Amino acid sequence: MQLKLRIMVGAGAGKKLAIPGAVFTIGRDDVCDLRPKSGYISRRHCELLQESTRAFVRDLNSRTGTFLNGCRLPSERAVEIQPGDQLKLGPLEFEVVFTHGLGGKKKSAVESVEEVAARTAEVAAESKDMDVNEWLMEDDEHAINGETLAAGPSPTIISAADLIAQANSDAKAAKEAPPEVDPRQAADAALKNLLRRG
């Protein structure tokens, strides 16, 4: 199984981001795998975790939260995701997609370190549908000074149904979602800021 995120808003809408590896971190920190330039995204915002047949998302104490199907995720708890689920963090909105690699062409065994490096680069090039920063501009007016947040020891797994029940029963725990950000307005604001500086 291969986890992918289909971009739902902005110039990249419809394109898919392949999620390689067992752990994939989203945030502005240099150590993250996906680094969007937005003040609404924490330095270490959330993680996507993959097993052989299942996938999970875990919020890493982000300031603005990670939302699954409209419900804010509790911090440091892994929630299983299903194909078709909607994932929202800051101005980013994705649909969860699973693909299965059945019927693929088998490659010969590698014989050198150089061949391993070449194949790794080839897979990375094939899986990179687009750079998220092509469609998400940094908005200096709304920047949030985040801190580097560390992940907890191990994820506690809960089901999406338990998450919805928890959200419905504990209204005080639910926080207001971040304001909707129109990518065009964000780009206009960033351009105006740049022109004012120049």
Side-chain angles (χ1 to χ4, degrees):
M1 175 190 81
Q2 170 67 51
L3 173 62
K4 293 186 178 184
L5 297 177
R6 184 189 330 256
I7 299 168
M8 301 300 291
V9 296
K15 295 187 179 180
K16 295 178 189 170
L17 297 172
I19 307 301
V23 179
F24 186 86
T25 308
I26 300 174
R28 294 182 293 115
D29 196 284
D30 289 341
V31 300
C32 293
D33 300 299
L34 178 63
R35 297 180 296 274
K37 293 179 181 176
S38 171
Y40 290 101
I41 304 295
S42 295
R43 291 183 189 263
R44 287 182 38 88
H45 198 97
C46 68
E47 288 180 331
L48 296 166
L49 312 163
Q50 292 186 75
E51 294 178 356
S52 59
T53 60
R54 297 170 31 173
F56 303 88
V57 61
R58 178 171 58 168
D59 183 76
L60 300 174
N61 289 324
S62 64
R63 292 176 188 244
T64 57
T66 302
F67 295 81
L68 180 63
N69 297 325
C71 294
R72 186 173 179 150
L73 297 177
S75 294
E76 301 298 340
R77 293 177 70 187
V79 176
E80 187 169 1
I81 52 178
Q82 302 293 328
D85 281 350
Q86 304 290 312
L87 187 62
K88 180 171 175 36
L89 45 147
L92 305 176
E93 292 184 38
F94 301 106
E95 177 185 4
V96 175
V97 177
F98 292 162
T99 58
H100 300 279
L102 300 176
K105 183 179 172 184
K106 187 172 181 176
K107 295 185 178 183
S108 61
V110 293
E111 297 179 7
S112 68
V113 173
E114 291 82 10
E115 191 174 347
V116 171
R119 284 192 187 180
T120 302
E122 180 183 320
V123 168
E126 289 172 0
S127 66
K128 184 179 179 184
D129 287 330
M130 74 169 304
D131 178 6
V132 71
N133 292 321
E134 290 177 11
W135 57 275
L136 181 66
M137 300 281 298
E138 182 173 12
D139 185 356
D140 291 335
E141 291 178 8
H142 298 93
I144 300 172
N145 294 325
E147 300 174 3
T148 301
L149 302 172
S154 65
T156 302
I157 298 172
I158 61 173
S159 71
D162 290 341
L163 176 66
I164 292 169
Q166 177 184 347
N168 290 338
S169 67
D170 190 6
K172 287 185 179 180
K175 294 185 180 175
E176 185 177 279
E180 293 292 323
V181 176
D182 180 7
R184 291 181 185 173
Q185 289 177 347
D188 289 342
L191 184 58
K192 287 177 185 175
N193 285 339
L194 183 64
L195 294 175
R196 272 188 265 162
R197 292 180 196 157

